[in-house]
Amino acid sequence: MATWSAPGKVFLFGEHAVVYGKPGIAMAIKQRVQVTVRRCRFAQRPNSPYIAECLKFLDVKASVYVRSQLPSASGLGSSAAVTVATLFAINDEFQLGYNKEEVTGFAHEVEKATQNGRASATDTYVSAYGGMVLIRGEEKRRLIPPENFSIVIGNTQIPHHTAELVRKVAEFRKSSPAVANPIFDAIGAIAMEAMHNFDNPKELGVLMNRNQSLLEALGVGHPALTRMNEAAKNAGAFGSKLSGAGGGGCVWAVCPRSARNRVMNAFESCDGKPIPTAIDMEGVRKEADY
Ligand code: MEV
């Protein structure tokens, strides 16, 4: 039996555009998924398509138990965390001998296979390595997170379907490349500007709001996301935007320390659930078996 855990993430800037080679920035958060894998000849087929794909990818038979602090289908990277923790636990339980880089690469392949071939390496990489990461195509750069970078997450509690939203954006790009491609370019440019503004919350807020508008132009907004973003800004946040695939799920806001409670109350006032969090610097780790 082997137990591993991996953190979730907030997609800070660049989601969707990152699938087409533009820069994206994500940050691992303290909420984790813990996965126990036990070698077993007659295991039931797992409910999660991500776990089923992990077992198929490494060609093993095992039972898999998951305990999660992350809401699923919410833009906080629970599928990637499950995938990463499952693959590391399989590698350990079956003594396969792959190194961290290799297993992290497998996690990206598993995500791609379950998302019709379209997934950036962002969610799986940040879950495996922790911290704040910039992804652009094959390039993966660890960023130095600013001290006192404090965010508030709000969950609309409306689940989304990442593969479906990624497919919808791909269709838009196919049918209207002249409109979609400049939107991806603008989202990428915002991510690059954001990289230099993490210690300037006011400017960061402006960039977040612009990124949110461009995501809406891509068709991945949702009235509940708009309500939460507006409520956060009215409560004193510098900026607020969705995290991940959109169409529901979570938003994150940057605000002065003095406005944190007001922003959390604002999320609750529009049926959202505030999720206090902090950055995780550790990434995937082995846990004690119990
Ligand atoms: C999902 O968390 C982020 C997307 O950009 C998809 C991906 O990067 O694979 C929507």
Side-chain angles (χ1 to χ4, degrees), residues 10-250:
V10 174
F11 217 116
L12 300 174
F13 290 93
E15 50 271 87
H16 287 290
V18 75
V19 177
Y20 302 98
K22 305 298 170 195
I25 304 175
M27 179 181 99
I29 54 173
K30 70 176 186 193
Q31 284 84 357
R32 291 185 159 253
V33 168
Q34 189 167 313
V35 176
T36 299
V37 168
R38 190 198 297 263
R39 188 189 285 259
C40 147
R41 231 187 290 162
F42 304 104
Q44 273 187 330
R45 192 179 160 76
N47 291 331
S48 157
Y50 291 89
I51 294 174
E53 193 60 38
C54 289
L55 295 169
K56 187 171 142 204
F57 192 89
L58 290 176
D59 194 19
V60 294
K61 288 196 170 49
S63 47
V64 181
Y65 306 91
V66 178
R67 288 164 298 280
S68 180
Q69 300 169 332
L70 288 162
S72 60
S74 70
L76 297 185
S78 91
S79 306
V82 165
T83 303
V84 167
T86 303
L87 288 170
F88 276 83
I90 293 174
N91 190 42
D92 187 5
E93 169 74 349
F94 290 85
Q95 302 282 294
L96 300 180
Y98 293 111
N99 66 31
K100 183 168 181 175
E101 200 183 335
E102 287 168 323
V103 182
T104 305
F106 298 159
H108 182 207
E109 293 307 317
V110 165
E111 273 227 318
K112 269 204 288 199
T114 38
Q115 290 178 198
N116 311 314
R118 294 186 205 96
S120 75
T122 322
D123 292 13
T124 43
Y125 187 86
V126 80
S127 185
Y129 285 89
M132 196 186 271
V133 175
L134 175 110
I135 303 277
R136 181 169 35 189
E138 291 303 306
E139 178 192 355
K140 297 165 183 95
R141 202 188 316 169
R142 299 201 60 178
L143 304 178
I144 299 168
E147 271 175 45
N148 304 326
F149 181 57
S150 152
I151 66 169
V152 183
I153 297 173
N155 187 358
T156 61
Q157 315 206 69
I158 295 170
H160 65 196
H161 196 294
T162 299
E164 190 50 35
L165 287 147
V166 170
R167 190 191 56 74
K168 190 174 153 187
V169 171
E171 266 173 22
F172 172 43
R173 179 171 177 259
K174 197 167 165 215
S175 63
S176 307
V179 181
N181 287 327
I183 298 177
F184 294 142
D185 288 341
I187 291 177
I190 288 173
M192 292 312 286
E193 274 192 42
M195 199 171 73
H196 303 293
N197 278 289
F198 277 105
D199 47 9
N200 181 352
K202 270 194 195 157
E203 185 54 28
L204 199 73
V206 171
L207 294 168
M208 290 168 72
N209 299 337
R210 285 206 182 115
N211 194 159
Q212 174 65 32
S213 302
L214 290 163
L215 286 163
E216 284 166 18
L218 283 181
V220 298
H222 188 283
L225 290 168
T226 308
R227 269 198 300 280
M228 301 252 297
N229 285 330
E230 291 310 308
K233 286 185 274 178
N234 288 335
F238 296 120
S240 186
K241 72 172 274 296
L242 65 82
S243 164
C250 289

